[in-house]
Structures are given as structure tokens and as C-alpha cells.
């Protein structure tokens, strides 16, 4: 139902505008229609711009909502146009008695509320940009952290958590905060002005200044996305990884454990049996995975799994020879750039049907010879 409403939104708005135009051939109608068209175009353009800035692989799906955004923006623009007309013609409204005063009051209240909301949003976005800037100093970031946390402004908190200039003590305090909103994906229109909607603590995990002890607290999170990031962190200790593996069987956690070189081998062997394709891809590129598992993954039906095995520097000579005869050219190409290849396998690849496989293998063979 929502999909059809999305497609029909511009049609409904256009029909409504035509009806207004035909019924009221007055200045108010012209202001309403003109601002509705401008508002719809401006709102849609801003929405598309923000979508194109997103880093999420699923952000492009939002394009299907452009017609709906156009409809909402056109309605808002039309109300603005009508309200502005009423305010500009205040004298006429007052002379018309209560029939003119009531619409004038409604228009004035609408303009005051909408202007205040717009200014609040703009100020929030500008503050976010200031806090995200590399020029933001530690003192400002710590001061704004206190204010934003009290107001539960997760938008600004995400900028503070991501900034490398934020003091490690503040990052640790964020990780230890009992506020569950810091662990949840951020929602709302304002969030689109950020390049992602990651939870605040996930920004902490990506901050190069994050104190390692923060992982102990974040490993107790109830959010699987957060736990998945902790499981993938190179700073996670064996005790942290074992604790997470015992608490959650989420696919996000398994992906994180599969990609982490610090994950104990018995855990890697356990998750290798779950049959998930993404887990297999992560395991295939992990140098800490045992040779028997890598040998098994070298025969996986998914070529992306075999590609990752081919570029894993820990594979043994038998697995290299097997992959050198793989029917997929990309698998053999990734194998040809693996720095751990033996000279015998490189010699085999110099006779490969693919020009680039032969070229890269030959170049690596020359370097090994020198």
C-alpha cells in the first residue's frame, strides 16, 4: 500500500494544485501553487543529494521514495506560500473581519512554528558539522558531549564519538554509559545529514583513539550490530571474543568472529560449520584459520569464497596448486598476487590462459628470483 501511495503522491499533489488553481483564481492560489512546485522540487533535490552521500549499500533503495518526498515537500511549500500571502496582506485580512483574521492567525502561527523548527534543524546540522570537523578541539568536544548527552542528541553525539580529537576519557565514558539509545541505529530526517546512521558506540569503535578497555563494556551490549563490531575489532582479547561467542549466535557476531585474526581456532572451526556464505567469505581471508578449513573452502561453490582463499597468505602449497587450476579467472588472478606463493605455483601460473594472470605471476616470479 505504501509503495502505491509513494508512486501516486506527485499525481495527487498535481491534481490538487490544478483544482486549487481552477477554483481560486486569486493571488493566494498563485502563491500556494508556485511555492508548492518550488517546495516539491527543492525537497526532492535535497533528499536525492543526501542519499547520494550515504555510505550504506542499501541507501540507494531510498530513491523509490522520491515521489513521496516530493508530495510532502509540495504540501509544505504550498502551506508556506498560502501563509506568506496572508501575512503580506495583513491589512486586507484585518479589514475583512473575523473571516479574514482567523486564516491570518492560522497562517502566522504556522509560519512561526515552521521557522522555529527549520532554524532548530539548521542549528543542529551546523553544530554537527562543527563537531565533526578535524579543527574541533578536545575542549569543545568534551563540553558539547555533556550538553548533547543530557539532551539525548544522538546526532551530535555521533560526531563527537567519530572525531579523533575527542579525548579517550570521553570515548570511554560513552562506552560505559547506561543510555540504551547510544547502542541503537539512529533514525529521523536529521540523520540523513550524516553519511551513515551508525549507533553512537559503533562510531566509538571506529575511532582510532578508542581506549582498548572500552571493548570490555561494549562487549556487554544488547545490540548485535555493536557486538559484531566488537567481535571484529583487532583490539578484542581472547576472553572478550569467547564471551561474545558464548552470549550471541547472531550472524553479525559470527561474521565479526570469522574476520578477526585473534579469534581462537576452536571458535573458528565451530562457525565454519554454519554453512553461511558470508561467514565462509570472512573465514577464507582470515590468516588464523587452520589449513584444513582453508583447504575445504578452496573447493567452495561460491567463487568469492575461493577468491578470498586465493589471496590468503597462510594457504599451503597443496591448496595453491588446487587453486591454480580453478576454472574461474578471478580466483587465479587473486592467487597470482598472493605474496606467499611458491615458485612452482608461480611457474604454473605463467602458463595460464589469462594474460593478466601470466603477467602478475611473471612479475612476482622475477621479484622472488632477485
Amino acid at each position: 500500500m505504501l509503495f502505491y501511495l509513494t508512486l501516486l503522491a506527485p499525481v495527487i499533489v498535481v491534481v490538487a494544485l490544478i483544482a486549487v488553481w481552477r477554483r481560486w483564481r486569486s493571488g493566494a492560489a498563485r502563491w500556494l501553487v508556485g511555492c508548492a512546485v518550488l517546495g516539491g522540487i527543492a525537497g526532492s533535490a535535497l533528499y536525492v543529494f543526501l542519499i547520494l552521500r550515504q555510505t550504506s549499500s542499501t541507501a540507494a533503495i531510498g530513491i523509490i521514495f522520491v515521489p513521496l518526498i516530493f508530495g510532502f515537500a509540495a504540501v509544505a511549500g504550498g502551506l508556506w506560500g498560502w501563509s506568506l500571502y496572508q501575512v503580506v496582506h495583513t491589512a486586507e485580512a484585518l479589514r475583512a473581519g473575523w473571516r479574514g483574521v482567523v486564516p491570518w492567525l492560522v497562517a502566522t502561527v504556522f509560519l512561526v512554528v515552521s521557522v522555529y523548527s527549520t532554524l532548530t534543524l539548521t542549528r543542529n546540522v551546523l553544530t554537527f558539522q562543527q563537531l565533526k570537523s578535524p579543527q574541533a578541539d578536545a575542549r569543545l568536544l568534551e563540553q558539547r558531549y555533556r550538553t548533547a548527552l543530557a539532551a539525548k542528541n544522538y546526532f551530535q553525539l555521533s560526531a563527537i564519538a567519530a572525531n579523533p580529537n575527542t579525548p579517550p576519557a570521553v570515548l570511554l565514558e560513552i562506552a560505559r554509559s547506561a543510555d540504551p539509545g547510544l547502542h541503537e541505529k539512529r533514525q529521523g530526517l536529521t540523520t540523513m545529514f550524516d553519511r551513515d546512521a551508525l549507533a553512537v558506540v559503533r562510531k566509538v569503535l571506529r575511532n582510532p583513539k578508542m581506549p582498548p578497555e572500552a571493548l570490555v563494556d561494549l562487549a556487554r551490549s544488547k545490540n548485535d550490530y555493536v557486538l559484531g563490531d566488537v567481535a571484529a575489532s583487532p583490539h578484542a582479547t581472547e576472553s572478550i571474543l569467547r564471551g561474545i561467542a558464548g552470549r550471541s549466535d547472531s550472524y553479525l557476531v559470527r561474521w565479526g568472529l570469522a574476520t578477526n585474526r585473534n579469534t581462537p581456532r576452536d571458535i573458528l572451526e565451530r562457525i565454519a560449520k554454519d554453512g553461511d556464505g558470508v561467514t565462509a567469505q570472512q573465514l577464507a581471508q582470515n590468516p588464523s584459520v587452520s589449513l584444513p578449513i582453508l583447504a575445504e573452502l578452496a573447493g567452495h561453490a561460491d567463487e568469492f569464497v575461493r577468491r578470498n582463499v586465493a589471496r590468503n597468505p597462510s594457504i599451503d602449497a597443496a591448496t595453491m596448486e588446487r587453486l591454480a587450476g580453478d576454472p574461474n579467472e578471478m580466483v587465479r588472478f587473486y592467487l597470482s598476487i598472493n605474496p606467499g606463493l611458491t615458485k612452482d605455483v608461480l611457474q604454473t601460473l605463467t602458463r595460464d590462459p589469462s594474460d593478466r594472470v601470466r603477467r602478475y605471476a611473471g612479475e612476482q616470479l622475477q621479484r622472488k628470483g632477485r
Side-chain angles (χ1 to χ4, degrees):
M1 184 65 178
L2 178 60
F3 176 74
Y4 292 110
L5 287 176
T6 299
L7 296 179
L8 291 174
V11 178
I12 295 172
V13 171
V14 171
V15 171
L17 292 177
I18 293 174
V20 169
W21 183 269
R22 295 185 63 182
R23 184 171 180 180
W24 297 321
R25 296 179 182 274
S26 62
R30 289 193 292 271
W31 281 55
L32 187 153
V33 173
C35 289
V37 173
L38 292 175
I41 295 174
S44 301
L46 176 61
Y47 179 71
V48 171
F49 170 75
L50 293 175
I51 285 179
L52 295 177
R53 293 181 67 249
Q54 302 301 303
T55 56
S56 171
S57 59
T58 59
I61 299 176
I63 292 291
I64 66 175
F65 295 106
V66 170
L68 187 62
I69 296 299
F70 175 88
F72 281 122
V75 171
L79 290 174
W80 260 80
W82 177 81
S83 299
L84 286 172
Y85 177 86
Q86 299 296 328
V87 173
V88 169
H89 296 83
T90 299
E92 297 178 13
L94 296 177
R95 285 198 299 267
W98 67 270
R99 290 186 177 181
V101 172
V102 172
W104 179 86
L105 284 173
V106 172
T108 302
V109 171
F110 172 78
L111 285 177
V112 170
V113 172
S114 59
V115 168
Y116 174 79
S117 300
T118 302
L119 291 177
T120 301
L121 172 64
T122 303
R123 181 181 179 184
N124 198 18
V125 172
L126 292 177
T127 302
F128 170 83
Q129 297 294 339
Q130 179 188 19
L131 297 173
K132 189 178 71 170
S133 171
Q135 283 72 44
D137 58 45
R139 185 177 179 181
L140 170 66
L141 291 165
E142 184 170 3
Q143 179 184 3
R144 290 302 306 175
Y145 160 69
R146 309 291 173 193
T147 306
L149 184 64
K152 294 187 180 296
N153 190 328
Y154 304 118
F155 181 56
Q156 293 183 15
L157 285 169
S158 69
I160 296 169
N163 198 318
N165 297 331
T166 299
V170 172
L171 297 176
L172 183 59
E173 189 172 332
I174 294 175
R176 290 177 173 174
S177 174
D179 186 350
L182 297 172
H183 294 248
E184 300 300 326
K185 181 178 180 179
R186 291 174 290 122
Q187 305 288 342
L189 178 63
T190 309
T191 300
M192 292 194 66
F193 287 90
D194 192 4
R195 294 181 67 85
D196 57 59
L198 294 179
V200 176
V201 294
R202 296 184 71 192
K203 297 270 194 177
V204 171
L205 283 163
R206 287 162 172 74
N207 193 313
K209 298 293 181 63
M210 179 201 72
E213 55 266 34
L215 288 172
V216 176
D217 298 281
L218 295 177
R220 292 192 287 266
S221 175
K222 296 180 180 179
N223 187 288
D224 284 334
Y225 284 93
V226 177
L227 291 178
D229 282 358
V230 175
S233 174
H235 303 292
T237 62
E238 180 178 342
S239 62
I240 289 176
L241 295 171
R242 287 192 181 279
I244 294 176
R247 281 185 53 210
S248 174
D249 193 38
S250 165
Y251 67 93
L252 296 167
V253 171
R254 293 199 301 272
W255 292 353
L257 292 169
T259 194
N260 197 328
R261 297 187 179 193
N262 298 329
T263 303
R265 282 202 170 183
D266 60 304
I267 295 178
L268 293 175
E269 291 171 359
R270 189 187 75 200
I271 62 178
K273 300 175 183 178
D274 70 4
D276 178 71
V278 178
T279 303
Q281 289 181 34
Q282 302 293 350
L283 287 169
Q285 62 185 345
N286 189 338
S288 297
V289 173
S290 64
L291 291 177
I293 293 178
L294 289 176
E296 183 178 349
L297 293 174
H300 201 280
D302 187 345
E303 68 175 78
F304 291 97
V305 175
R306 302 200 306 277
R307 288 185 192 183
N308 286 347
V309 176
R311 61 183 180 179
N312 191 320
S314 296
I315 56 177
D316 58 7
T319 303
M320 294 177 191
E321 292 173 0
R322 179 179 182 180
L323 292 171
D326 195 280
N328 187 283
E329 182 200 2
M330 287 301 298
V331 173
R332 302 195 306 277
F333 166 71
Y334 280 117
L335 183 66
S336 70
I337 60 176
N338 188 326
L341 290 187
T342 64
K343 288 187 177 181
D344 289 341
V345 174
L346 286 172
Q347 289 283 6
T348 300
L349 292 176
T350 57
R351 299 186 294 273
D352 194 89
S354 169
D355 290 339
R356 65 172 178 171
V357 171
R358 293 198 304 271
R359 183 172 74 253
Y360 280 95
E363 291 174 357
Q364 188 173 174
L365 189 60
Q366 289 180 1
R367 287 194 297 270
K368 286 183 179 292
R370 289 197 297 269

